[in-house]
Amino acid sequence: MKRHFYHLLACALFAFVGVAVHAQPVVTVDAAHLGAPVSPRLYGIFFEEINHAGDGGLYAELVQNRSFEDDDQQPAHWNALGGARAELTTSGLLNDRQAHALRLAVPSAFGGVQNEGYWGMAFRQQTTYTFSAWIKADTAYKGEMIVALNGRDGRNLGQTSVPLKLKAGKWTKVEDVKILATGTDPEGCMTLTFGAPGTFTLDVVSLFPPTYKGRPNGCRIDLAELLEALHPKFMRFPGGCYVEGQTTQRNNLHNRFEWKNTVGPIEQRPGHLSVNWGYNITDGFGYHEMLQLSEDLGAEPLFVVNVGIGHGWLQPYDQIEEYIQEALDAIEYANGDAKTTKWGAERAKNGHPEPFNLRLLEVGNENANFYFDNNRDQSDHYFERYIQFYKAIKAKYPDVQIIGNVESWGTDEPSWRSEHPVDILDEHYYRSPSWFENNFTKYDTYDRNGPKIYIGEYAVTQGFGINGHLTAALGEAVYMQGLERNSDIVIMGSYAPIFVNEHNPAWRPDMIRFNASESFGTPSYQVQKLMANNIGTRIVPVSVTANMLAASIGHHVGFSTWGTKAEFRNLEVVDKDGNVILKDDFAAENDHWRTFGGEADARRRTQSQWAFEGGVLKQQNQRAEGSVILNTTVLPDEYTVRAQGRRLEGNEGFIVVFGAEDGQNLLWWNLGGWGNGQHAVEHMADGGKNTLAAAQGHLEEGRWYNVEIQVKGTSARCLLDGQLIHEITLPERQSLYANATFDEKTNEMIVKLVNPTRERQTTRIHLNGATATQGRAIVLASANGSDENSMRAQLNVSPEEYPVRISEPSSTIVYNVQPFSLTILRLKTK
């Protein structure tokens, strides 16, 4: 009973007990002076085959390893049934594009094989599935093959018997076999059994559900519809690092994307290993299908071509004619006349006589970084490569706009370091929520006479929670406001990556998560949809006043770790007069500490293992990332914390926490972070992290270090073994961000407001030169910035719509902007 009472008291110590008083923000929308047109291509999507985004995801094929190429030694994802023996064969193959097939010896009736799909196959009652396969028998065979859908528990969920008449040693295609599901299972499997004994060879075994817009070899409906809801104006594909490939002993250069291997009948597509992302690709969702999906979504295709560079390999820059021709042929495939061009005729043969109208082509992916004299960062002689592509493409297709690469990391100010002409530059940013907030005005000063800008890849990848929380999404929303207000120069933008199969998260976060049967959008997806679906035709100047919050920090100290076992001892905190106000020798566990779970704890469902033992505080779980333990003592505004820490096992050092309010709002000194190569002070606000100061640094394993942090208000000095490493001052924070566009078609003023703070903002909105007659508000908000969506709570953070009450036409509206929110006001004006 006593312990329960103290828990309540400890919680109270960490409660938010008041709201800072500040002026009400004033948003002035200058409707009398409309600006430049909004870019008609501003918001699009970027598809890359990563995280099983295509195979096992958007590409609707249910059979995994349908052509038996995933493993050289065994038929991965296939299991023999009924005493049958299944093994790979490399002889007597279907064609020279296939390297393996499955040889299946069936000793008695109803033996066969089973395929598990991509972590299960989702079957829905009263849905029809379409089966096809290539098959041959060693000797003449006349009998049945049963194609069955089964549940996880072995239940039969529908089957079809296929009569076979096979000539000895001759391949026969079994196609357009329909199976009606009689039940539902989110993680089923498919079985093939034979009504009589025999020895068979199988290849390209396929099972499709209904597809988006009924396209053959098409897309999974729910995932494609999530893309459709974004109303993308363009679609960039196929990558990404996926375009470049990575050299291996297995297949050297040939794991890059080569579009000619991805068109035509699926049995003519050899597939390839994506070394970059670690799995085999069928290439079923190939160049043609990507063009087709772009068209079906109403998006312009944007194709990224390889310039003879990859990860760990290169073709000399003066020997890249085949790569240039590959790009020219790709344009001809997309745009060429069906009767007079080779590749236009091939497109028509593949089911699309009319051109796809490809007008956007990117020369390389992240290939203009720093080492142009070698390939250390995939940049070898990029500009010499680029100009060869530019001249060849412009000579034949002058209307195609060419997109060039600039630095993709290592700088916040990428630039075109060449005199060569370029239409559009592609900038990439993976940063923290506060970085995106701080770059709201980044493009205000860009040269309007220079190349146009495409933000080809961007996302919060630091301090995003588990799947991607609301604070991360709001940081992105602020940045997107900056793109909108500058869409005369920033003409395109696309979040990256889009998709992740929850069983293969090679990259986090991603805006659409899915498994075999379900899918949902993260808060970042909701932001992308709301911003893209609520944009006008003209930029409107906006100014905001009284929207700054004074910096403030909490009053608790503690410790944390990141992927490392560590120990701490001899904690002491003194006030400005040197009086000891907190001291702990960690001789035994006590009630003055509270633990907040970290990212790895939540993601991997592990527990942080803080223990008080032998005069030290230990974090015993090397997998814990960001698990914070805080002392409940409330400290004054000015104090000095001293402690000792050491790293024991793992890749990083240890973390001392100060200025903490709770596990989501704090400052910490990360010592030996980033692979034990850097010390940095990081600020976490509502779960989003920002680096305030950084310096190179390394911690020896097993050595005790003396840490001292001198806190004075919102400033701090950080000393390691008596040496000053950092001095920081927490900056003010903007409480409200605003931009506006005007929709000339609907006569609506669209005002977008982002409040990334925990405080409600009572805001006065002035329309200069217009009056509002009616309106509505679309609001994405949640109680906490750390709130997320998940498979169990798919709409936990989702938008709602409200009327904006305007009793009579007015040029001034008072609106309460919710904490942690994106608000879109659509105001009818006159």
Side-chain angles (χ1 to χ4, degrees), residues 723-737:
Q723 179 182 355
L724 179 65
I725 307 297
H726 311 291
E727 287 188 86
I728 64 100
T729 298
L730 199 62
E732 288 184 323
R733 187 181 186 190
Q734 197 161 322
S735 64
L736 189 73
Y737 296 84

Side-chain angles (χ1 to χ4, degrees), residues 25-252:
V26 177
V27 177
T28 301
V29 180
D30 193 358
H33 299 90
L34 299 184
V38 173
S39 169
R41 288 178 177 152
L42 183 56
Y43 292 129
I45 56 176
F46 165 44
F47 175 84
E48 179 171 10
E49 179 60 86
I50 179 176
N51 306 320
H52 277 279
D55 281 8
L58 182 61
Y59 182 45
E61 173 67 78
L62 296 177
V63 176
Q64 184 165 198
N65 194 20
R66 69 182 179 194
S67 295
F68 308 101
E69 309 296 348
D70 283 11
D71 191 305
D72 291 338
Q73 305 300 317
Q74 60 183 345
H77 312 294
W78 291 88
N79 302 300
L81 302 173
R85 185 176 71 253
E87 60 187 8
L88 295 179
T89 182
T90 58
S91 61
L93 296 176
L94 177 62
N95 56 48
D96 62 2
R97 308 289 279 171
Q98 301 295 323
H100 303 90
L102 182 71
R103 185 169 173 82
L104 181 68
V106 179
S108 58
F110 304 112
V113 286
Q114 178 185 82
N115 186 270
E116 63 193 37
Y118 293 91
W119 300 280
M121 298 179 179
F123 299 132
R124 291 177 175 82
Q125 190 171 11
Q126 296 302 306
T127 299
T128 298
Y129 297 81
T130 303
F131 171 86
S132 65
W134 286 87
I135 185 169
K136 70 175 179 178
D138 281 9
T139 59
Y141 178 85
K142 183 177 181 181
E144 63 175 349
M145 176 176 66
I146 298 98
V147 185
L149 315 180
N150 296 94
R152 286 167 292 181
D153 56 3
R155 288 180 302 130
N156 185 295
L157 301 177
Q159 66 179 47
T160 294
S161 177
V162 183
L164 297 178
K165 291 183 180 180
L166 304 177
K167 294 181 181 180
K170 182 177 180 180
W171 284 101
T172 299
K173 186 175 184 181
V174 177
E175 58 185 325
D176 203 31
V177 176
K178 305 297 184 184
I179 308 108
L180 179 67
T182 58
T184 295
D185 195 303
E187 296 179 0
C189 61
M190 179 193 73
T191 61
L192 305 180
T193 55
F194 294 84
T199 301
F200 309 91
T201 306
L202 300 171
D203 208 351
V204 197
V205 181
S206 174
L207 183 69
F208 267 84
T211 62
Y212 179 64
K213 294 190 181 294
R215 298 294 182 193
N217 197 48
C219 293
R220 180 171 147 176
I221 292 174
D222 62 323
L223 297 183
E225 287 180 343
L226 284 168
L227 297 182
E228 183 183 81
L230 296 170
H231 292 106
K233 297 301 187 290
F234 66 88
M235 175 173 150
R236 178 179 183 238
F237 61 85
C241 296
Y242 182 68
V243 171
E244 298 162 291
Q246 183 170 323
T247 188
T248 67
Q249 292 181 348
R250 174 178 171 182
N251 54 9
N252 200 16

